[in-house]
């Protein structure tokens, strides 16, 4: 019955937030990034594709340039796409609509969304997320740490480091700004502040910090929990923290604290090989999701958005 219900494009102001969030909450492929509160804080503007009475939904983050509307992936949002996990027929309906009504898109689907070969104009590039189940005891989980990860953890354990939960947001943002490898725009820092502040206010997000023997903050992570996933959503280390193995120490302590719980540590992913090795070093295994991309812009705009 679902596959014959009405397919709608709904503008942002007309989206039923209650029905939308209920759909995301009840989806087996649910992700924190698709909640209305998160989209409102990360996307410049977003509309929606909805099938039936919010039985299936897809957020559409939209920007406009040279009079052309296009789809993009908002910052701090790893996976969006279609919710709940769609059949191949429903998947094709969503993709065909995008192809017909937009000239350009580069967006991340979620792990429950598969490519559709029937839409020839679209490419689907696989991306890797890293997940570590925490249901086992710490001894069993740590068996799968790489030898390099174990070595750094052992070394860090001799440095008299301490892990503190509940770091203040202002302290974290100041530390992050000071230790960024590449400059983050003020708008992106403001978005990050907004996301973390909301998570702390609602009680599902917390910042962990590692302090040196001289009481200097040297590594920190913002974790937030959505359902059975604890997401390593944002992190930063100073040069001191890197030399002391602070981030390894922090993650190891976090795993010790949460081992035996019905949770999965979601490291998100990275295109940087060194960061991916860091995640895999804790025994995290890859989960594949896809980046959907098509470009039917007129020349010369086509080359600008390659």
């Amino acid at each position: 019955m679902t596959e014959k219900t009405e397919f709608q494009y709904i503008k942002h102001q007309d989206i039923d937030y209650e029905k939308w969030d209920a759909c995301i909450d009840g989806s087996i492929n649910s992700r924190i990034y698709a909640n209305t509160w998160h989209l409102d804080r990360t996307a410049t503007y977003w509309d929606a594709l909805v099938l039936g009475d919010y039985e299936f939904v897809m957020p559409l983050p939209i920007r406009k340039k040279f009079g052309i509307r296009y789809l993009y992936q908002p910052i701090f949002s790893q996976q969006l796409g279609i919710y709940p996990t769609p059949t191949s027929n429903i998947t094709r309906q969503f993709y065909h609509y995008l192809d017909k009504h937009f000239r350009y898109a580069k967006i991340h689907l979620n792990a429950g969304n598969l490519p559709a070969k029937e839409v020839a104009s679209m490419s689907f590039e696989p991306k890797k997320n890293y997940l570590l189940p925490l249901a086992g005891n710490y001894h069993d989980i740590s068996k799968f740490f790489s030898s390099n990860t174990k070595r750094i953890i052992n070394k860090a354990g001799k440095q008299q480091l301490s892990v503190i939960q509940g770091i203040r947001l202002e302290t974290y943002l100041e530390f992050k700004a000071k230790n960024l490898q590449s400059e983050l725009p003020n708008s992106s820092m403001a978005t990050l502040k907004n996301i973390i502040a909301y998570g702390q206010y609602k009680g599902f997000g917390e910042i962990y910090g590692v302090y040196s023997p001289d009481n200097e903050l040297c590594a920190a992570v913002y974790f937030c929990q959505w359902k059975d996933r604890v997401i390593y959503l944002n992190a930063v280390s100073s040069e001191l923290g890197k030399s002391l193995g602070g981030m390894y120490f922090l993650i190891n302590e976090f795993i010790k604290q949460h081992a035996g719980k019905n949770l999965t540590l979601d490291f998100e992913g990275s295109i940087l090989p060194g960061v991916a090795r860091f995640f895999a070093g804790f025994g995290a295994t890859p989960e594949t999701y896809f980046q959907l991309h098509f470009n039917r812009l007129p020349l010369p705009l086509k080359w600008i958005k390659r």
Side-chain angles (χ1 to χ4, degrees):
M1 183 181 77
T2 299
E3 299 191 23
K4 295 181 180 179
T5 54
E6 186 181 356
F7 193 72
Q8 311 171 66
Y9 181 100
I10 302 180
K11 291 186 177 181
H12 183 265
Q13 63 269 25
D14 298 321
I15 297 170
D16 187 319
Y17 271 35
E18 186 175 344
K19 289 183 178 181
W20 179 281
D21 286 335
C23 177
I24 301 302
D25 185 69
S27 299
I28 194 169
N29 59 332
S30 183
R31 298 290 186 272
I32 195 170
Y33 321 105
N35 287 297
T36 54
W37 70 263
H38 198 279
L39 286 162
D40 283 348
R41 286 165 172 79
T42 57
T44 306
Y45 177 88
W46 63 283
D47 288 341
L49 289 183
V50 174
L51 188 61
D53 190 20
Y54 290 80
E55 294 169 70
F56 290 87
V57 302
M58 183 181 194
L60 302 179
I62 295 171
R63 281 180 176 158
K64 192 172 184 179
K65 196 167 188 178
F66 303 116
I68 298 174
R69 296 161 72 247
Y70 66 93
L71 302 178
Y72 76 103
Q73 189 67 20
I75 193 169
F76 308 122
S77 302
Q78 187 201 50
Q79 300 181 35
L80 291 177
I82 307 166
Y83 299 90
T85 302
T87 64
S88 57
N89 183 43
I90 290 174
T91 299
R92 283 193 296 272
Q93 289 185 64
F94 277 93
Y95 293 169
H96 277 300
Y97 188 96
L98 300 185
D99 186 53
K100 183 178 179 181
H101 291 86
F102 291 93
R103 306 287 289 275
Y104 179 90
K106 184 177 282 189
I107 55 175
H108 293 174
L109 306 171
N110 64 73
N113 299 168
L114 297 177
K117 297 179 181 179
E118 298 87 347
V119 190
S121 65
M122 293 182 176
S123 65
F124 295 87
E125 179 184 347
K127 301 283 186 181
K128 296 296 182 184
N129 187 27
Y130 284 85
L131 303 177
L132 179 64
L134 300 176
N137 60 56
Y138 174 76
H139 177 72
D140 290 340
I141 295 172
S142 62
K143 284 180 182 178
F144 295 94
F145 290 3
S146 70
S147 56
N148 184 59
T149 296
K150 290 177 180 178
R151 179 184 62 80
I152 296 175
I153 289 171
N154 289 334
K155 179 184 175 182
K158 300 173 184 177
Q159 305 298 322
Q160 296 182 300
L161 302 175
S162 57
V163 174
I164 304 297
Q165 292 178 232
I167 302 298
R168 293 176 64 250
L169 174 55
E170 292 75 13
T171 301
Y172 178 76
L173 293 176
E174 182 180 344
F175 178 66
K176 186 172 182 68
K178 190 182 298 183
N179 292 285
L180 280 172
Q181 291 185 340
S182 56
E183 190 172 346
L184 198 64
N186 290 337
S187 59
S188 298
M189 288 293 283
T191 298
L192 179 61
K193 180 179 181 179
N194 206 340
I195 292 171
I196 297 177
Y198 186 86
Q200 289 179 322
Y201 171 69
K202 288 293 186 178
F204 59 76
E206 190 168 30
I207 303 169
Y208 283 61
V210 175
Y211 284 82
S212 72
D214 296 324
N215 201 35
E216 180 180 346
L217 181 62
C218 61
V221 177
Y222 172 63
F223 293 103
C224 59
Q225 184 175 343
W226 173 245
K227 294 188 172 292
D228 61 353
R229 291 193 181 213
V230 179
I231 304 159
Y232 177 92
L233 198 140
N234 201 262
V236 62
S237 292
S238 65
E239 289 302 318
L240 175 63
K242 293 173 185 175
S243 67
L244 295 176
M247 193 61 72
Y248 284 85
F249 185 79
L250 191 159
I251 297 301
N252 185 57
E253 291 300 310
F254 184 90
I255 292 171
K256 283 182 180 179
Q257 184 183 121
H258 292 83
K261 298 178 182 178
N262 186 30
L263 294 171
T264 294
L265 178 53
D266 183 342
F267 282 106
E268 294 197 315
S270 177
I271 59 174
L272 301 175
V275 178
R277 282 195 300 272
F278 170 72
F279 299 152
F282 286 95
T285 55
E287 168 195 61
T288 300
Y289 65 99
F290 291 90
Q291 176 181 270
L292 180 158
H293 179 225
F294 60 87
N295 186 347
R296 293 184 290 100
L297 292 170
L299 292 174
L301 296 180
K302 190 180 186 76
W303 302 105
I304 295 173
K305 295 295 290 183
R306 287 186 70 178

